[in-house]
Amino acid sequence: MGFVIKRVYDRAEASDGYRVLVDRLWPRGVSKERAELDLWDKDVAPSPELRTEWHHNRERFDEFAERYRGELDANDAARALVALGEEHDRVTLLFGARDEQVNHAAVLIEWLGGHGASVDRDA
């Protein structure tokens, strides 16, 4: 099974397993009850500086992804997330971005897969 990504605005499902919000900022319009989180892991999100510079500009996504992977390589929280995947059959990484393809969670799940975590890219 492994890690999957999903918008925090989508309905929580039993199949989500352990639910982790991977945004630094709380998503607008979502109550804590509705989010049904097991963990809010702000520290694995892009740095405030990187997030602000990128600001979801599709044209700069490759540059953003490269810099974010560099941040993840130096981030203890990212390594802890890999370990979390070993503790749970399924970990759903939740993000608030509108674009389901071009966002930091897509980079994060790719990074996790490259660091030994099981990922389900088809979910």
Side-chain angles (χ1 to χ4, degrees), residues 80-108:
L81 196 57
V82 173
L84 188 66
E86 296 169 2
E87 297 173 20
H88 301 277
D89 289 335
R90 172 144 202 91
V91 177
T92 298
L93 304 177
L94 302 167
F95 64 95
R98 286 187 185 124
D99 192 324
E100 294 188 37
Q101 308 301 315
V102 178
N103 61 67
H104 75 282
V107 177
L108 176 57

Side-chain angles (χ1 to χ4, degrees), residues 8-115:
V8 70
Y9 298 101
D10 294 340
R11 181 180 306 251
E13 301 174 46
S15 62
D16 290 344
Y18 195 81
R19 292 171 51 90
V20 181
L21 178 62
V22 294
D23 281 348
R24 193 167 298 274
L25 303 175
W26 188 262
R28 290 183 184 158
V30 176
S31 69
K32 292 191 180 185
E33 294 77 27
R34 182 173 163 235
E36 297 186 42
L37 297 182
D38 293 297
L39 175 67
W40 182 10
D41 195 351
K42 301 174 198 174
D43 294 331
V44 77
S47 67
E49 298 79 18
L50 181 56
R51 183 183 58 80
T52 302
E53 287 175 24
W54 175 47
H55 199 60
H56 299 282
N57 181 341
R58 275 184 165 270
E59 294 173 9
R60 297 186 59 209
F61 184 69
D62 290 339
E63 174 191 347
F64 163 78
E66 182 178 335
R67 289 181 56 200
Y68 182 39
R69 283 189 292 269
E71 288 185 356
L72 291 169
D73 287 340
N75 188 337
D76 291 337
R79 286 187 287 286
L81 196 57
V82 173
L84 188 66
E86 296 169 2
E87 297 173 20
H88 301 277
D89 289 335
R90 172 144 202 91
V91 177
T92 298
L93 304 177
L94 302 167
F95 64 95
R98 286 187 185 124
D99 192 324
E100 294 188 37
Q101 308 301 315
V102 178
N103 61 67
H104 75 282
V107 177
L108 176 57
I109 199 166
E110 173 194 318
W111 184 91
L112 289 166
H115 286 79

